[in-house]
Amino acid sequence: AQDYYAQYGGKAGITNLINTFVGNVAADPHINYYFAHTNIPHLKYELVQQVCMAVGGPCKYTGLSMRKTHEGMGVTTAAFNYLAQDMMDAMQTQKIPMAAQNYLIAILASMEPQIVTANGPLG
């Protein structure tokens, strides 16, 4: 995954990606209410660390497990899918190469069982 870290533009590129992603989420009426009480600077820091580590960078994610983080949030499959789309749009905006995008989306998809804990009108 080391090549992917470079394809994301290193730490600076990942930071830009997360800023774009969080902006997309904030503007997404389907899911932004999930983040109404979130400490955004902390969220961005944790996401940068997590993505950096996931794509082979030198960072270390030390935050809570995905299950613990999303406990009691009532995340639906639909909400998870909107979030994934917001990340895909952010990667497009940042011009991340497609193989590198697919790699991160596969990791995100593998986390779905820990994140989705609710059924809603949209699944």
Side-chain angles (χ1 to χ4, degrees), residues 22-43:
V22 172
N24 289 353
V25 169
D28 188 337
H30 302 106
I31 59 172
N32 56 12
Y33 60 88
Y34 282 104
F35 296 88
H37 302 290
T38 303
N39 174 341
I40 298 298
H42 179 73
L43 174 69

Side-chain angles (χ1 to χ4, degrees), residues 3-121:
D3 341 319
Y4 289 127
Y5 180 66
Q7 289 182 34
Y8 275 85
K11 188 85 181 270
I14 292 167
T15 301
N16 289 338
L17 172 66
I18 294 305
N19 286 333
T20 302
F21 168 62
V22 172
N24 289 353
V25 169
D28 188 337
H30 302 106
I31 59 172
N32 56 12
Y33 60 88
Y34 282 104
F35 296 88
H37 302 290
T38 303
N39 174 341
I40 298 298
H42 179 73
L43 174 69
K44 286 181 176 179
Y45 170 80
E46 295 289 11
L47 287 170
V48 168
Q49 295 301 107
Q50 198 173 20
V51 170
C52 172
M53 188 170 103
V55 300
C59 313
K60 188 93 184 94
Y61 175 71
T62 56
L64 295 169
S65 72
M66 289 302 94
R67 190 178 298 285
K68 199 88 190 121
T69 300
H70 298 89
E71 210 170 45
M73 281 180 66
V75 179
T76 62
T77 301
F80 181 87
N81 291 339
Y82 283 118
L83 184 100
Q85 187 61 57
D86 291 339
M87 177 55 87
M88 287 189 262
D89 293 345
M91 290 191 288
Q92 286 295 110
T93 301
Q94 295 297 321
K95 302 193 173 20
I96 310 289
M98 197 45 80
Q101 288 192 34
N102 290 340
Y103 180 78
L104 187 60
I105 288 298
I107 291 172
L108 185 59
S110 75
M111 295 175 178
E112 184 176 359
Q114 285 91 59
I115 294 172
V116 173
T117 57
N119 292 310

